[in-house]
Amino acid sequence: MPGVVIVGAQWGDEGKGKVVDLLAERAAMIVRFQGGNNAGHTIVRKGEEFKFHLIPSGILHEDKACVIGNGVVVDPRVLLGEIEGLRRAGIGVGNLRLSANAHLIMPYHVLLDTAGETKLGKLSIGTTRRGIGPCYADKALRLGIRVQDLLDEKILRTKIRAALEPKQQALRELSVQRRKQRRESGGRVEEGSAGVPDPRLDLHTMVEEHVSFGHRLEPHIADTARLCWEALDDGETVLFEGAQATLLDLDHGTYPFVTSSNPIAGAACVGAGIGPGDIGEVWGVAKAYATRVGAGPFPTELFDETGERMLERGHEFGTTTGRRRRCGWMDLVALRYAVRLNRMDALAITKLDVLSGLGPLRVAVRYRSREGAVLDTFPYHQSILHSATPEYEELPGFDADLSECREEGDLPQAARDYLGFVSDFVGVPIRLVGVGPDREQTIPVGN
Ligand code: IMP
């Protein structure tokens, strides 16, 4: 089975990292193909917790090649921080490869992300403010700075100058706005600093800093598409690890409340440099319930005590921003959409243990539009989705603590029936079930 793609099936934070970490045992290479440090993977191994934002989850397997593909946007400061953190934890990073074609998140991207959100006010998307959108925008505008540019100071300077120029107006407005906010909040405003650019945006400083990043990253920079081809052509298994998730997809998600890349399986081809024929299997990862961070439609969202209990029991706070996640019942209309869009072969269901003790369980099986029409499929029109109300199937709940279950047979009948219902409804087998954060707390289903 050469290429296996692993994607989020909901709005992110499904526990993909843990699934990748497990499947990585059978792979020779793990490749991230989109997103940036807006993602956050937590992997717990023998009680020790590891958090990654950029580095593929497979890094804990020191015998596997770990690749950051061309489709990823890389904040070099964050990447170097993660490399340093791993070194300190005694984990080697000699197997990490970074695509020379990946785009860099520059300091101005981060500032523009925040400025854009502030400007949108009530209409803001709730981004992670890591500069993801502005970086992908520059990529499309052909004003991006790529990893390979770090290795040539002259090119780097020319490109940063060209990229900065059209942003001057927005950045000037930002600096004025900041001065105003500082003054209003009683903070110190340096005399004569009006119009003085943020020191982080000084061309000379930025170039010097990035040349130094380049020196430090150079051992990892490679033609990563070629590395993927070599592994695939040798018949090795390569895992393509998606970040974020299907419903945050720029084209197929709940636009504009989405990320700026394509987290669906098809994007693995572009973001890693492989062909569709290289993909043999697609796995989706979904929580046994649903969560979402940031703004945007979420038909099964709960505003009651059950939602609160999901939040507390599931520790539903963002790995990247610490934000409280919105919680709700599993949405099978949306999941079936994600299954088809990614053409999934298998599902991993995580956090089943969180549902224990919640009473009867609900899963959305259709929506009803404001006009009363029955909607069996995920509506493409945003106004319909925004006002759709879910209709539920109620299933028996379970009270047992699942955290010690290690085989399918250890699960209470109601939990197995719940999984069976989900699998039948969306038409894909469930192959893994998570019952706790540790990698041992995972139950293989079927073969
Ligand atoms: P951005 O990707 O930072 O531009 O944020 C766009 C939207 O995607 C916001 O709603 C974020 O909360 C959401 N988002 C981005 N990355 C993740 C993730 O890894 N998990 C969950 N939501 C995310």
Side-chain angles (χ1 to χ4, degrees), residues 328-400:
W329 293 117
M330 196 174 212
D331 183 341
L332 297 185
V333 183
L335 186 60
R336 191 163 54 187
Y337 170 71
V339 163
R340 183 61 193 90
L341 195 53
N342 293 287
R343 183 53 174 78
M344 284 177 203
D345 298 286
L347 268 173
I349 301 291
T350 57
K351 292 190 150 183
L352 185 62
D353 54 306
V354 174
L355 294 185
S356 169
L358 289 188
L361 303 174
R362 297 178 130 201
V363 285
V365 290
R366 70 186 78 81
Y367 304 143
R368 196 156 296 259
S369 76
R370 201 182 352 225
E371 293 73 29
V374 171
L375 307 168
D376 288 314
T377 54
F378 198 69
Y380 72 87
H381 201 293
Q382 63 169 359
S383 309
I384 297 177
L385 180 63
H386 278 264
S387 60
T389 44
E391 293 194 349
Y392 293 103
E393 181 82 21
E394 195 163 282
L395 303 167
F398 48 89
D399 293 323

Side-chain angles (χ1 to χ4, degrees), residues 30 41 121 162 187 193 270 386 407 421 425:
I30 300 97
H41 300 307
S193 63
V270 180
H386 278 264
E407 292 174 16
F421 188 91
F425 192 93

Side-chain angles (χ1 to χ4, degrees), residues 29 223-234 272-275 278:
M29 183 181 277
D223 178 356
T224 53
R226 191 168 295 281
L227 297 179
C228 293
W229 305 337
E230 283 166 8
L232 290 162
D233 293 347
D234 282 350
I274 55 159
D278 288 315

Side-chain angles (χ1 to χ4, degrees), residues 11-14 16 35-41 113 117 125-134 136 243-245 248 256-261 291-296 318-321 323 325-326:
W11 280 284
D13 310 311
E14 297 92 348
K16 296 177 288 292
N37 58 313
N38 46 349
H41 300 307
D113 196 356
E117 284 284 271
I125 292 153
T127 73
T128 58
R129 302 193 175 203
R130 297 298 189 265
I132 307 295
Y136 278 116
Q244 292 83 48
L248 291 175
F257 302 101
V258 293
T259 191
S260 297
S261 65
T291 63
R292 172 165 206 170
V293 252
T319 320
T320 302
T321 56
R323 284 181 292 174
R325 296 180 185 140
R326 300 154 65 192

Side-chain angles (χ1 to χ4, degrees), residues 137-167:
D138 265 358
K139 177 177 175 174
L141 280 168
R142 288 142 301 170
L143 281 175
I145 316 292
R146 295 191 294 173
V147 166
Q148 57 183 281
D149 300 327
L150 294 175
L151 306 179
D152 185 322
E153 185 172 340
K154 196 160 161 243
I155 288 181
L156 183 66
R157 184 180 302 277
T158 310
K159 289 195 173 179
I160 297 182
R161 188 181 286 123
L164 265 176
E165 209 271 326
K167 300 178 182 68

